[in-house]
Amino acid sequence: MPARRISFVNFKGGVGKTSIIVNVAACLAYDLGQKVLLVDCDAQSNASIWLMGIERWNVINSMPGKSVYGMFIPNLPPVSNNIIPSVVRNERGMHLIPNLDLLPATYELMDLEEEYRDGQGEPFFYRFHEHLRSTFNHYDYVLFDCPPNLFRASKCAIFASEEIYVPCNPDKLSEIGLSLLVSKIDRFHKQTVLQQQQIPTFRPAKIRGVILNDVDGRAQLEGMQRYLRLTIAKARQHHVVSEDADILGQQVRKAILAAKVVGSFLPVNLSNGSSGLKDDYLNLARFIHNTPLYKEVEHGTDRKTEQPRRTAKRAS
Ligand SMILES: Nc1ncnc2c1ncn2[C@@H]1O[C@H](COP(=O)(O)OP(=O)(O)OP(=O)(O)O)[C@@H](O)[C@H]1O
Ligand SMILES: [Mg+2]
């Protein structure tokens, strides 16, 4: 069965997209035994630096074509050669999470937004999908970290995904622009029908839910959540939002460790000491893992169907 492919998207910067993807990826791989590929689609390269450490990342940043952007440079070896297997290592090079691989970003990914010109009949997002397609069968999950915009790199990730989660901060709930995000994704799906038809198993990505991050126990969330649920309900008519989309009950608390751990170049689940934050990421990873959008219905074929409505633990 090909990998579940999930993008973490929000226009808004600094809401926790990278923190969530790095830690959910680590929990899926380390705690839940899943084979995971994280594809860094953000030229800031925060996820790549976090998982590789700055020294290892500096080496690939100085080598053109050794990152995810390699697929947009003509005549290079397959981009799968740029995947770093078992990316999380200690100083002695020991693999700490054998199941977690990374296709890193470097600063050259900025060129996708400006300098890159589409080849004939091959728009950038189609090229991205085609270069990655062969990897989908080697993983349980392919997760895409996106920059805080809906420019080309994000569109690549969305076109290659079947599911989208939207991280946001509770104090910025009203600003997340979910309805704008929905209409932009809807438009993108409509603009790409021709390319979708060239991919036999293609299913356009649907928003599965909103993940509240950096939640302070004292925050008053009720009013904002009501407003957000209304937006989600309205957005269902676009088919860009899955039937079961909701604000997930699996929130991530505000914790100093979330920021501190970045400098150790380890995900939270490998950090020392106990913290409720570890549980939050693990609960979130478990929830995502237990609620696939599609399931096999016909043995021996690749046909899948949408799951019946799941019952998410409600955010309170
Ligand atoms: N649960 C949390 N508690 C406290 N701080 C957090 C939490 N989650 C993330 N942060 C901090 O918030 C900042 C932004 O997080 P992060 O980089 O994950 O956001 P992002 O959405 O990926 O940002 P960008 O849009 O720039 O890519 C970082 O300094 C991070 O350490
Ligand atoms: Mg980020």
Side-chain angles (χ1 to χ4, degrees), residues 23 26-27 30-31 51 88-90 94-98 100 257 261 264-273 278:
N23 287 298
C27 289
Y30 185 79
D31 299 289
L51 290 170
V88 183
R89 302 180 193 169
N90 65 12
M94 248 175 71
H95 297 173
L96 303 181
I97 309 184
L100 176 56
L257 181 64
V261 76
S264 67
F265 304 123
L266 291 174
V268 168
N269 63 348
L270 295 191
S271 66
N272 289 329
K278 289 186 182 180

Side-chain angles (χ1 to χ4, degrees), residues 112-288:
L112 178 61
E113 307 298 344
E114 293 197 347
E115 281 162 38
Y116 179 74
R117 297 279 169 268
D118 283 339
Q120 255 208 330
E122 194 187 49
F124 58 94
F125 53 85
Y126 185 76
R127 185 181 178 99
F128 181 86
H129 183 276
E130 290 307 284
H131 277 258
L132 276 188
R133 194 175 359 179
S134 64
T135 64
F136 296 163
N137 287 327
H138 299 134
Y139 292 94
D140 299 306
Y141 287 88
V142 180
L143 307 180
F144 300 90
D145 190 21
C146 294
N149 58 54
L150 250 195
F151 302 152
R152 286 178 160 191
S154 294
K155 284 179 172 164
C156 286
I158 290 169
F159 190 77
S161 295
E162 293 186 334
E163 303 173 58
I164 295 171
Y165 281 93
V166 184
C168 73
N169 296 158
D171 57 332
K172 291 174 188 149
L173 265 184
S174 53
E175 296 174 41
I176 69 163
L178 189 65
S179 38
L180 182 62
L181 185 67
V182 168
S183 67
K184 292 257 181 211
I185 294 174
D186 193 34
R187 197 168 74 182
F188 178 58
H189 285 343
K190 286 178 180 142
Q191 286 168 341
T192 57
V193 167
L194 263 183
Q195 290 77 24
Q196 293 175 22
Q197 287 168 348
Q198 289 170 44
I199 303 167
T201 54
F202 191 90
R203 284 181 299 238
K206 288 181 188 260
I207 295 176
R208 303 294 316 280
V210 171
I211 302 169
L212 298 183
N213 180 52
D214 207 5
V215 177
D216 185 340
R218 290 160 301 174
Q220 293 297 315
L221 302 176
E222 266 174 41
M224 284 174 167
Q225 293 201 28
R226 218 174 305 125
Y227 166 82
L228 196 62
R229 284 212 168 91
L230 273 178
T231 312
I232 292 173
K234 257 200 256 165
R236 283 205 190 97
Q237 66 198 357
H238 284 272
H239 305 291
V240 175
V241 174
S242 71
E243 273 288 295
D244 58 0
D246 204 348
I247 306 168
L248 304 199
Q250 288 70 15
Q251 308 173 346
V252 180
R253 74 194 65 191
K254 183 189 256 325
I256 295 170
L257 181 64
K260 230 167 78 178
V261 76
V262 182
S264 67
F265 304 123
L266 291 174
V268 168
N269 63 348
L270 295 191
S271 66
N272 289 329
S274 67
S275 158
L277 188 67
K278 289 186 182 180
D279 300 333
D280 291 350
Y281 287 129
L282 184 55
N283 288 338
L284 181 57
R286 277 209 181 103
F287 178 76
I288 291 173

Side-chain angles (χ1 to χ4, degrees), residues 6-7 27 30 36 44 63 71 84 145 149 189 197 276 278 310:
I6 309 175
S7 284
C27 289
Y30 185 79
V36 181
Q44 296 182 90
M63 295 160 68
M71 69 173 79
I84 300 166
D145 190 21
N149 58 54
H189 285 343
Q197 287 168 348
K278 289 186 182 180
R310 65 184 165 172

Side-chain angles (χ1 to χ4, degrees), residues 16 25 52 54 66 69 91 128 195 240 266 271 292 313:
M52 297 180 74
I54 189 75
K66 290 304 283 179
Y69 189 67
E91 318 77 62
F128 181 86
Q195 290 77 24
V240 175
L266 291 174
S271 66
K313 192 178 103 192

